[in-house]
Amino acid sequence: MGLYTDSRGHDEDPLTKAMAPPPDESEAERQVRLAAEKEAQKRSDAIDEELNRQRINEKKTKCIRILLLGQSESGKSTTLKNFQLFHSNKAFRTERASWRAVVQLNVVRSVKLILHAMTEVQAAASPSTVVSEAESEAKYPILSPEHLRLKMRLLPLQQVEETLLRKITPGYSAEREATHLSPVTNLPYFSRNTPSEPALNSLTPWQNAFNRLVSGPRTSLDSQDIDFDDPNDPGVILNACKDDINLLWTDPTIKELLLALRIQLQDVGGFFLDQLDRVTSQKYIPTDDDILRARLKTIGVSEHRFTLKAGNMMSHDWRVFDVGGARSLRGVQNFHMTRTIVRPNDDASAAWVPYFDNMNGIIFLAPISGFDQVLDEDPNVNRLEDSILLWKSVVSNKLLKDTEIVLFLNKIDIFQAKLAAGVSFGHFVVSYGDRPNNFESTSKYLMRKFAGILKQFSPKPRTFYCHLTTVTDSQSTQRILVNVKDMVLRQNLSHGNLL
């Protein structure tokens, strides 16, 4: 600590000055201050002791550390839920009451986005609204008076959303983030007014509920008991609005409107509008598939612990880390993900890598269905391009050179559906040229692309592990995760890390 000279020429230590007691402190105030300082020191010593105990235990216990990486909505949380489903099965299913609220929230969010699109189209048509030339020339279907009456009847869902958020996050600690839809790239007026999506910090009670799947006390949030006769249950209003929601979603004019705005609700996590009768039933209880498909956005870093066994090998403790995928979360300055926006040419992984340089394996998820979409955070960057940039930054990082990386080219079901519908892969990925617009050719092209980047930029030779995945398909994902577990364990045994 350096000294500075005050105006009177005296050397003074700033820290000593800051810690000095008030000059006019009374004896009673002094005793209170000393007692508070003693208590603070006791808490500090206890924290240090606990940290040392954890370090000692970690040295004694051999565990496997897995890091889940990928852009927002790449499937990281769904992959984690698959781990939980197959390795904490009983506890996973005790969470159904909590996930019921999440599914209901997903339904409300989908409806709100449609209603918002209707509102914005009406506003854009108003002479008093300032829009771009491209927006003024765009052709949108005309909403009828019945559409507007339908919209009014669904306004109570706004209150349902607030109620659900309070149920999911005690104290209503949800943060707000931009909803991750296929952006309206040709309509800046709409894209900048898209309603926000609740985002839960990884340190909130909801996220900690996942940790309770493997240990710790239960709370009422985890109870499977649901009072279906509770008049304040959000499911009551949802059930009452079911027919109107179905009318809205199936209306040809609304379908045309969403298509014109490039809003692809079916491609977004947490889409349940095609199953309204079931999920809006007052006695609805989520299935395993519902939980896998439900979307609950989290920000920050979360750690989840399991005891897994691969093949005939002994069981090992596994720690799976889920890192927030939004661009604003990648350039972190500390473990709790201080928001620092990174640009496309930045090394997005450089800031967080030092916290994860001891990982035994990385599961990197690249949602290839986003080849025709752009990022919400930056509408100038294609989603597939962003995955490739992040993949390059990860495989080229020298701190991760000894970490095995498994690539999941994810969301192949949506990818196949787009190709079948005639969306041209080569139109968005120019380097693909005029090769066949089918799944076999395009998927092989992408595998070669990612493999080439690994070979070119990895600091040392590494095996290319790649799977074509739909992580919402629990059975196929289970087989893939078994292979990943075997691979990681065998690699670490061969390196002598677990001997």
Side-chain angles (χ1 to χ4, degrees):
M1 175 67 68
L3 298 179
Y4 75 96
T5 303
D6 64 18
S7 59
R8 292 169 296 179
H10 299 140
D11 289 337
E12 191 168 350
D13 182 348
L15 182 59
T16 301
K17 181 179 180 181
M19 298 295 291
D24 55 349
E25 182 181 48
S26 67
E27 180 60 27
E29 291 172 334
R30 176 176 177 274
Q31 293 300 325
V32 172
R33 175 176 59 81
L34 291 177
E37 290 176 355
K38 183 178 180 181
E39 182 62 28
Q41 184 62 48
K42 185 185 298 184
R43 288 196 301 269
S44 177
D45 291 342
I47 292 172
D48 290 340
E49 183 178 346
E50 175 63 18
L51 289 174
N52 287 329
R53 186 186 64 79
Q54 291 182 8
R55 291 191 192 101
I56 293 172
N57 287 339
E58 288 183 3
K59 289 180 179 180
K60 292 180 179 179
T61 304
K62 297 293 185 180
C63 68
I64 300 295
R65 295 176 174 85
I66 299 294
L67 180 63
L68 298 177
L69 285 182
Q71 64 183 212
S72 182
E73 292 193 70
S74 59
K76 299 184 300 299
S77 295
T78 306
T79 301
L80 175 62
K81 283 186 278 187
N82 272 288
F83 269 108
Q84 294 167 333
L85 175 61
F86 296 116
H87 302 290
S88 297
N89 184 279
K90 182 178 179 180
F92 178 82
R93 289 181 169 130
T94 65
E95 296 286 330
R96 292 194 191 282
S98 301
W99 284 108
R100 179 177 185 261
V102 176
V103 172
Q104 291 172 335
L105 181 63
N106 289 165
V107 172
V108 173
R109 289 291 305 157
S110 295
V111 175
K112 277 193 64 178
L113 288 166
I114 298 175
L115 298 181
H116 173 77
M118 296 169 67
T119 300
E120 295 301 301
V121 166
Q122 288 179 273
S126 172
S128 61
T129 302
V130 179
V131 296
S132 69
E133 182 178 349
E135 292 168 342
S136 64
E137 295 177 353
K139 302 296 182 182
Y140 303 109
I142 298 175
L143 300 178
S144 69
E146 179 55 36
H147 288 121
L148 302 183
R149 286 192 289 271
L150 184 60
K151 176 184 171 186
M152 291 296 295
R153 293 201 298 270
L154 290 172
L155 288 181
L157 292 181
Q158 172 69 41
Q159 184 60 41
V160 172
E161 181 184 41
E162 297 296 323
T163 302
L164 288 168
L165 286 171
R166 283 193 292 269
K167 287 183 66 174
I168 293 172
T169 57
Y172 193 14
S173 57
E175 301 182 31
R176 314 295 288 192
E177 284 289 321
T179 299
H180 287 174
L181 284 176
S182 174
V184 187
T185 55
N186 63 332
L187 292 171
Y189 178 78
F190 294 102
S191 62
R192 68 173 175 259
N193 289 284
T194 303
S196 60
E197 177 185 18
L200 308 185
N201 192 283
S202 61
L203 301 180
T204 63
W206 166 265
Q207 191 68 20
N208 290 339
F210 288 123
N211 294 333
R212 291 195 296 271
L213 289 173
V214 290
S215 64
R218 290 166 51 109
T219 70
S220 59
L221 181 66
D222 303 315
S223 174
Q224 190 176 349
D225 296 328
I226 303 171
D227 183 4
F228 293 114
D229 298 321
D230 180 5
N232 296 318
D233 179 14
V236 174
I237 298 179
L238 265 180
N239 181 261
C241 293
K242 175 185 64 177
D243 292 338
D244 282 339
I245 296 174
N246 191 57
L247 279 175
L248 182 73
W249 172 240
T250 59
D251 185 275
T253 302
I254 298 300
K255 295 278 190 183
E256 185 181 349
L257 173 63
L258 296 178
L259 182 63
L261 296 178
R262 302 185 190 178
I263 297 178
Q264 304 167 356
L265 289 178
Q266 299 95 322
D267 298 349
V268 179
F271 176 74
F272 292 98
L273 293 186
D274 282 344
Q275 305 174 54
L276 274 176
D277 285 344
R278 184 174 62 84
V279 301
T280 59
S281 167
Q282 284 187 257
K283 296 190 180 297
Y284 164 67
I285 298 178
T287 65
D288 290 346
D289 284 342
D290 291 343
I291 295 175
L292 289 175
R293 293 179 181 277
R295 170 164 173 78
L296 181 64
K297 181 176 180 179
T298 55
I299 57 177
V301 178
S302 54
E303 176 186 347
H304 310 274
R305 301 189 181 193
F306 308 92
T307 299
L308 308 183
K309 184 176 182 179
N312 295 322
M313 302 181 198
M314 63 179 293
S315 297
H316 290 283
D317 290 330
W318 286 58
R319 297 185 185 179
V320 181
F321 298 87
D322 181 5
V323 179
R327 280 193 154 202
S328 59
L329 302 181
R330 297 185 205 156
V332 295
Q333 293 177 334
N334 60 49
F335 185 80
H336 295 306
M337 298 316 224
T338 299
R339 295 186 181 183
T340 304
I341 301 296
V342 295
R343 308 316 307 166
N345 294 327
D346 291 343
D347 182 353
S349 65
W352 55 259
V353 165
Y355 297 98
F356 299 106
D357 60 347
N358 62 341
M359 295 294 109
N360 300 106
I362 293 174
I363 297 178
F364 185 100
L365 293 102
I368 60 177
S369 62
F371 71 91
D372 62 338
Q373 298 172 259
V374 295
L375 296 175
D376 285 338
E377 301 97 319
D378 188 344
N380 296 312
V381 178
N382 177 277
R383 286 182 68 89
L384 180 58
E385 176 191 2
D386 180 66
S387 284
I388 291 174
L389 288 172
L390 182 57
W391 170 257
K392 178 183 174 182
S393 70
V394 170
V395 302
S396 63
N397 196 290
K398 294 181 179 179
L399 292 177
L400 302 175
K401 68 182 188 320
D402 295 319
T403 304
E404 297 295 341
I405 304 178
V406 182
L407 173 65
F408 283 14
L409 295 180
N410 195 34
K411 300 193 176 183
I412 62 172
D413 55 336
I414 300 175
F415 182 65
Q416 289 173 305
K418 288 184 176 182
L419 296 178
V423 181
S424 173
F425 184 76
H427 174 75
F428 295 93
V429 183
V430 179
S431 58
Y432 184 71
D434 57 357
R435 279 171 272 191
N437 195 55
N438 58 49
F439 177 70
E440 181 179 4
S441 179
T442 52
S443 60
K444 286 183 177 178
Y445 169 84
L446 288 172
M447 292 176 74
R448 288 194 298 268
K449 180 74 172 178
F450 280 88
I453 292 173
L454 177 69
K455 182 177 181 179
Q456 180 179 355
F457 294 101
S458 178
K460 60 185 289 188
R462 275 192 280 201
T463 303
F464 179 62
Y465 299 101
C466 181
H467 297 275
L468 297 169
T469 61
T470 299
V471 293
T472 53
D473 180 349
S474 59
Q475 295 303 316
S476 63
T477 303
Q478 180 187 25
R479 292 191 293 270
I480 292 170
L481 290 178
V482 168
N483 292 335
V484 170
K485 288 190 300 178
D486 289 344
M487 180 275 294
V488 171
L489 283 174
R490 293 184 189 281
Q491 288 293 336
N492 282 277
L493 285 171
S494 66
H495 294 160
N497 293 340
L498 299 177
L499 295 179

